[in-house]
Amino acid sequence: MKNQSAILFLSCEDRKGIVAEITHFITMYEGNILNCDQHYDESGMFFMRVEWDLSDFAIPSGKIEPAFEPIALKFAMDWRLEFSTERAKMAILVSKYDHCLYELILKNRAGEHNGEIKMILSNHEDCRPIAEYFKIPFHCFPVTKETKKEVEQQEIALLKKEKIDLVVLARYMQILSGTFIDAFPRKIINIHHSFLPAFVGAKPYHQAFSRGVKIIGATSHYVTEDLDQGPIIAQDVARVNHRDNVSDLVEKGRNLEKSVLSRGVRLHLEHKILVFGNKTIVFD
């Protein structure tokens, strides 16, 4: 088993001495730095992710935050601290399409995702057999226009009760309300087609085919109240040509969707993402 490590994310206005102060803090208390990555952008902002081994670190993990606070205040940092051994509790929301659901379950079972799938929620019964096969609790909440608000309250209550850390929308065909999103800030990841909003609504691959597109894609992103406009985590594309029919586009698109969603979830669970405004810095 790997030793526990601490992972510090920070953003602040760039100034001299930030890196020196942080590395001095870690080494002064006998911490061994494992990874250190930083980024400066043209707006004058500085971003950093630093990870260190806690085996010989003199400060107990529960007291690191107050010990670091004076440095954070000195540089007016927006920061957070994570720990490598913390295993996130995940909930997967799905409707009828199951390709992304299978991918997430299999990656989790293979140990490629450092998280625990606590439940699957759906507005349809179609995926219940999958949940039962893998022995994952399944909850069905049928949604209508009239019951949507009430159903969301029930879902939020269940997710909170189980202390869910990450909600993954694996082709969940419902638009989440602001209330739902606010209950899990920067903790909801969705997948959609990269060629949105050019092809909005139903059957986007059919629309793409009719326009003769040459590239299709998929994007995983954090969910915000602006539909499909949240901070982007991962993207990928596949080339298509005139020989590809609608079925070919659908197959290629679904392969992209499941791989890009899985990658976005993995990056989140491995604490590789720093969100700044409506963009991400991905330290991969």
Side-chain angles (χ1 to χ4, degrees):
M1 182 178 293
K2 292 183 179 179
N3 294 330
Q4 184 184 35
S5 61
I7 304 155
L8 174 68
F9 290 90
L10 66 94
S11 61
C12 61
E13 290 188 11
D14 189 40
R15 286 169 53 186
K16 293 180 180 178
I18 298 173
V19 176
E21 193 100 23
I22 293 170
T23 54
H24 175 69
F25 169 81
I26 295 170
T27 56
M28 178 174 63
Y29 292 106
E30 302 298 324
N32 179 38
I33 296 176
L34 303 174
N35 293 287
C36 186
D37 199 351
Q38 60 204 59
H39 171 65
Y40 166 82
D41 73 10
E42 59 186 15
S43 70
M45 292 297 297
F46 177 81
F47 307 93
M48 187 174 185
R49 177 190 186 273
V50 58
E51 180 178 4
W52 70 96
D53 191 342
L54 293 177
S55 299
D56 301 315
F57 200 57
I59 305 175
S61 58
K63 296 183 178 180
I64 296 175
E65 288 192 2
F68 184 76
E69 184 68 28
I71 297 175
L73 291 173
K74 178 180 178 179
F75 292 98
M77 295 175 180
D78 182 7
W79 64 289
R80 79 176 196 270
L81 188 68
E82 307 281 0
F83 296 98
S84 62
T85 53
E86 292 178 346
R87 200 157 181 248
K89 296 178 180 179
M90 300 167 52
I92 301 175
L93 274 62
V94 63
S95 289
K96 293 185 177 183
Y97 296 116
D98 58 17
H99 54 291
C100 289
L101 175 62
Y102 270 118
E103 183 77 0
L104 293 170
I105 294 174
L106 294 177
K107 291 289 186 182
N108 186 263
R109 292 299 172 98
E112 296 181 33
H113 285 174
N114 184 32
E116 179 184 5
I117 301 175
K118 296 292 290 184
M119 68 179 75
I120 298 170
L121 274 63
S122 182
N123 55 327
H124 297 281
E125 289 284 350
D126 299 59
C127 292
R128 183 181 290 275
I130 301 171
E132 292 176 346
Y133 179 84
F134 288 102
K135 296 180 172 60
I136 301 171
F138 182 89
H139 304 272
C140 185
F141 293 93
V143 181
T144 66
K145 184 177 180 180
E146 292 73 25
T147 64
K148 183 177 179 65
K149 185 176 181 180
E150 178 185 351
V151 167
E152 278 202 342
Q153 289 299 325
Q154 294 173 3
E155 292 172 331
I156 292 170
L158 178 60
L159 295 170
K160 292 288 187 180
K161 179 183 177 182
E162 295 297 326
K163 299 180 180 179
I164 295 300
D165 302 301
L166 177 64
V167 177
V168 184
L169 308 185
R171 291 305 304 273
Y172 183 61
M173 309 305 286
Q174 290 287 321
I175 298 174
L176 300 182
S177 71
T179 301
F180 194 113
I181 295 167
D182 290 342
F184 302 95
R186 296 180 181 175
K187 293 182 179 179
I188 307 175
I189 295 177
N190 192 20
I191 184 72
H192 75 68
H193 315 90
S194 282
F195 40 72
L196 287 172
F199 302 113
V200 299
K203 297 186 176 181
Y205 292 112
H206 292 72
Q207 296 181 58
F209 175 77
S210 68
R211 290 287 301 275
V213 301
K214 307 306 178 190
I215 293 178
I216 60 171
T219 299
S220 60
H221 65 95
Y222 289 111
V223 174
T224 64
E225 288 196 57
D226 295 323
L227 185 62
D228 293 334
Q229 300 297 315
I232 293 170
I233 303 172
Q235 292 180 299
D236 204 354
V237 297
R239 294 192 176 277
V240 297
N241 60 39
H242 58 278
R243 295 183 178 87
D244 290 310
N245 57 33
V246 171
S247 296
D248 295 326
L249 266 65
V250 169
E251 180 182 357
K252 290 182 179 182
R254 289 181 178 175
N255 286 334
L256 286 172
E257 289 167 8
K258 65 185 184 182
S259 66
V260 170
L261 180 60
S262 175
R263 192 185 318 155
V265 170
R266 177 179 58 80
L267 289 167
H268 178 95
L269 295 174
E270 291 179 356
H271 309 299
K272 297 288 184 70
I273 307 168
L274 191 159
V275 179
F276 181 73
N278 201 44
K279 65 183 292 186
T280 60
I281 292 86
V282 179
F283 297 102
D284 60 350

